[in-house]
Amino acid sequence: MSHPWHRSFRIPATFTALAEFVMDGLDPGDPDVWRYASWMDHGGSLFCGDLEPALLGMPGSGDVPEQFCGELAYHFQPLEILPFCWNGGDALHYGWAVLAPELDADDHPCVSFAPVDDRAWWLGDTTKQALENLLVGTVAGARERPSPAEEPLWAEVCDALGLRPDLESTEITPGARSKRDLRPEVPPGWRYEPSGDGIGVLAEASAFAPSSVPVDKPWDQDEYLPWARAFLDEGYPGSALCVLKSLSSHSRASVELMREAYRRLGRDLHVERADLWLSLHPSD
């Protein structure tokens, strides 16, 4: 199953199974069915928020991506995050951290992120683990009794997807938040470098310069954009991204440089995301 807005991205099988479970017996073509899009009437709050309707098959979701990729309306949004669930009015969302789309991986690590955050935080090494931690976060944040874990749907969805949430975990707080850094699997000959946005840069080792540039003043784009340009000129797009993704906000200039770095890495998905960001931010 492909992402409705980014056709090159394959939805991980675990989420496809969840979408099939949610939509079982519902007709996506029925305009009234989208009162179920959040799955609230089916217990959608079990996953700390509303599942992304387009990933459940919302009609017309692939027509005009810039009308749907709401996360890109925020200035400081890591472009690598593809959301699959939203938590309320603070725009907290949960999504796949697609670090290297050219690998065409079957699954991806997941993170939580909100525009008010300084960075993204780990949610799971896989989609399955992320969904388990969303269930844990729902119980951690529940004030009402009985616990959400006692709802009949809890057992149904866990059985259907093979989920085993650890309700004794102290690592996951209300809203499925953690303070754990993302640590992706690194293929042989590749390198992973953390960055200030909490996502980091995963690329072949040759994409990084022999030395790095510490971003000690992330608010000062005038100081660091020239470094990013220099890394691109020298043939080190990975190092350029490390600098750009450690700045405390995006600008058209920084995203244009990101787009070029992604292009040189062969990351068409991220080039597409950068273009969407730029279309939603015609001026800084």
Side-chain angles (χ1 to χ4, degrees), residues 5-186:
W5 309 319
H6 303 293
R7 299 295 182 179
S8 64
F9 179 73
R10 291 185 295 118
I11 303 295
T14 300
F15 193 90
T16 298
L18 173 61
E20 291 172 351
F21 180 88
V22 172
M23 297 303 292
D24 184 29
L26 300 178
D27 177 9
D30 179 352
D32 292 332
V33 81
W34 292 105
R35 63 192 178 96
Y36 294 108
S38 68
W39 206 34
M40 295 305 294
D41 290 348
H42 281 229
S45 57
L46 293 183
F47 291 109
C48 287
D50 300 346
L51 299 175
E52 172 55 61
L55 300 183
L56 303 181
M58 184 174 73
S61 59
D63 294 342
V64 189
E66 58 268 27
Q67 293 182 3
F68 296 95
C69 297
E71 72 280 2
L72 296 180
Y74 298 102
H75 267 77
F76 184 57
Q77 170 71 33
L79 302 182
E80 293 85 353
I81 300 176
L82 294 184
F84 57 74
C85 189
W86 295 83
N87 183 331
D90 60 359
L92 168 62
H93 51 280
Y94 313 100
W96 297 288
V98 188
L99 292 165
E102 68 271 28
L103 292 176
D104 194 26
D106 291 330
D107 209 339
H108 303 269
C110 300
V111 295
S112 65
F113 182 77
V116 295
D117 292 345
D118 293 329
R119 48 168 295 164
W121 294 101
W122 174 86
L123 179 63
D125 293 331
T126 63
T127 303
K128 180 176 180 289
Q129 188 176 40
L131 294 177
E132 289 172 337
N133 285 335
L134 285 172
L135 292 172
V136 173
T138 296
V139 171
R143 294 185 174 88
E144 71 279 0
R145 294 294 180 267
S147 166
E150 297 176 18
E151 295 184 15
L153 186 61
W154 179 285
E156 292 179 25
V157 72
C158 286
D159 288 345
L161 276 67
L163 304 180
R164 301 292 180 265
D166 179 10
L167 298 183
E168 301 301 317
S169 172
T170 58
E171 190 170 41
I172 302 299
T173 61
R177 308 292 252 157
S178 79
K179 288 297 182 182
R180 180 170 160 182
D181 292 334
L182 188 67
R183 286 290 181 267
E185 184 177 340
V186 181

Side-chain angles (χ1 to χ4, degrees), residues 80 97-105 107-109 125 182-208 236-243 245 261-267 270:
E80 293 85 353
V98 188
L99 292 165
E102 68 271 28
L103 292 176
D104 194 26
D107 209 339
H108 303 269
D125 293 331
L182 188 67
R183 286 290 181 267
E185 184 177 340
V186 181
W190 286 51
R191 178 171 154 188
Y192 173 73
E193 288 292 335
S195 59
D197 63 359
I199 298 297
V201 181
L202 177 67
E204 294 187 63
S206 60
F208 297 92
Y236 298 118
S239 293
L241 283 174
C242 287
V243 172
K245 287 163 54 60
Y262 293 139
R263 187 188 66 77
R264 296 192 186 189
L265 289 169
R267 298 181 175 173
H270 295 163

Side-chain angles (χ1 to χ4, degrees), residues 247-275:
L247 299 175
S248 58
S249 65
H250 292 338
S251 66
R252 287 190 62 85
S254 68
V255 173
E256 286 169 354
L257 288 172
M258 283 185 194
R259 179 178 59 185
E260 178 58 21
Y262 293 139
R263 187 188 66 77
R264 296 192 186 189
L265 289 169
R267 298 181 175 173
D268 294 341
L269 171 64
H270 295 163
V271 170
E272 189 175 273
R273 299 277 289 170
D275 283 337

